[in-house]
């Protein structure tokens, strides 16, 4: 198909969600070698597959989410969970502008290129991109000579300070 396309939008999100049996990262760049159950898929692997199939790097546009996926009653990535959080517009799915949820601690995991928030009291984990993670991904996109970035879906972004698209 490449000869018919000007660019490829790689949906580099929804790697984990309510369909899984364990809590995971929904938009990680790399797999987690220490905890493989939380990263069944990765952007790095998808990019390798597309490039190996003949898609030029400069045609690959990496998608980033403007929402987070939640896992309730969990101890964190790679752990079992039961249920999802309330969500902004769908059970378990929060717009980025609603994150982090009050009381949650935010953590960026630089080795796998993923971020999340977690509340020890409620045991709710939300996997989503932070501005720092978007900066890291943008640097990787540039370093690897990729075509750029796109977001899904712009109404979920914050306005002004903290906007992921502006980042």
């Amino acid at each position: 198909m490449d000869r018919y396309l000007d660019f490829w939008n790689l949906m580099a999100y929804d790697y984990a969600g309510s369909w899984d049996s364990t809590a995971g990262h929904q938009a990680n760049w790399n797999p987690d070698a220490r905890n493989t159950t939380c990263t069944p898929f990765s952007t790095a692997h998808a990019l390798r597959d597309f490039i190996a199939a003949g898609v030029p790097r400069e045609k690959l546009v990496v998608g980033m989410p403007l929402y987070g996926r939640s896992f309730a009653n969990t101890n964190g990535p790679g752990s079992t969970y039961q249920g999802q959080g309330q969500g902004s517009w769908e059970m378990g799915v929060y717009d980025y502008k609603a994150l982090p949820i009050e009381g949650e601690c935010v953590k960026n995991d630089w080795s796998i290129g993923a971020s999340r928030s977690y509340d020890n009291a409620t045991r709710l984990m939300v996997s989503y991109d932070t501005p720092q993670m978007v900066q890291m991904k943008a640097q990787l996109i540039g370093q690897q000579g990729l075509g750029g970035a796109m977001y899904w879906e712009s109404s979920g972004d914050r306005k002004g300070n903290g906007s992921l698209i502006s980042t």
Side-chain angles (χ1 to χ4, degrees), residues 53-136:
V55 176
R57 291 175 177 276
E58 62 274 8
K59 281 190 173 184
L60 288 167
V61 177
V62 177
M64 293 186 253
L66 292 172
Y67 62 91
R69 291 201 174 271
S70 66
F71 303 87
N73 301 305
T74 185
N75 292 326
S79 301
T80 59
Y81 70 96
Q82 189 169 28
Q84 306 156 9
Q86 197 65 28
S88 296
W89 45 273
E90 175 183 312
M91 284 297 290
V93 181
Y94 290 91
D95 283 338
Y96 167 70
K97 63 188 173 190
L99 297 170
I101 298 169
E102 188 175 337
E104 291 188 343
C105 178
V106 178
K107 181 176 183 202
N108 291 306
D109 188 331
W110 303 108
S111 65
I112 63 171
S115 45
R116 68 182 183 277
S117 60
Y118 185 76
D119 186 329
N120 287 322
T122 65
R123 298 181 61 230
L124 180 70
M125 178 187 116
V126 183
S127 173
Y128 68 101
D129 281 349
T130 61
Q132 298 85 2
M133 198 54 54
V134 167
Q135 285 177 330
M136 181 186 133

